């Protein structure tokens, strides 16, 4: 079965986020005054072939740790979709 | 009320994604053979101050169009959380 996967990689709390800070600085000039705490991460989508959902989840977790995220400064959230 | 927001910005289908292609090329060497269709987008989190959810949604949609995404090559998905 082939599972669609969405991995969100975001900086851990306390890690400086210059990209988010730049967006936040630009907002008042565009008229958006109520926006705060901007943090920019990555949204990685792919599909994974696995016999069942738990095997797919294990494979994705290992992939996050070894390739997609730096666990020292980043957290990940995995969303596994329905197999197609 | 202050609403937490997650905006996913991803490249439209058919737009070349060199970052995703690079990840995909690296996978077989790491032992991940079943992973396909890797696409890398952005996951932007922030909070927005608004009187109700529909006003927050309108503000976030405008923000996506004017600052967060390039609508020519990118799609966005907005998830509005419960106000805190």
């Amino acid at each position: 079965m082939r599972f669609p996967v969405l991995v969100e990689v975001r900086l851990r709390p306390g890690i400086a986020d210059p990209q988010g800070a730049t967006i936040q600085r630009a907002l008042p000039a565009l008229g958006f005054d109520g926006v705060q705490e901007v943090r920019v991460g990555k949204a990685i989508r792919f599909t994974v072939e696995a016999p069942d959902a738990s095997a797919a989840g294990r494979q994705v977790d290992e992939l996050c740790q070894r390739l997609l995220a730096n666990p020292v400064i980043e957290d990940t959230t995995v969303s596994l979709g329905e197999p197609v």
Side-chain angles (χ1 to χ4, degrees), chain A:
Chain A
M1 287 188 287
R2 183 156 283 282
F3 295 81
V5 183
L6 169 62
V7 175
E8 182 191 350
V9 181
R10 56 186 183 287
L11 291 166
R12 284 176 181 269
I15 304 287
D17 179 0
Q19 202 177 354
T22 301
I23 290 174
Q24 197 162 328
R25 266 201 311 277
L27 291 169
L30 289 167
F32 298 98
D33 293 319
V35 178
Q36 297 284 330
E37 302 166 66
V38 183
R39 305 283 284 175
V40 180
K42 276 176 281 188
I44 305 168
R45 286 187 180 271
F46 53 89
T47 62
V48 62
E49 181 71 40
D52 55 50
S54 79
R58 277 196 306 276
Q59 204 173 333
V60 173
D61 285 343
E62 201 193 336
L63 187 57
C64 287
Q65 290 195 353
R66 292 181 58 194
L67 185 67
L68 301 182
N70 175 351
V72 178
I73 58 165
E74 291 171 328
D75 283 328
T76 56
T77 307
V78 173
S79 313
L80 210 64
E82 289 298 309
V84 287

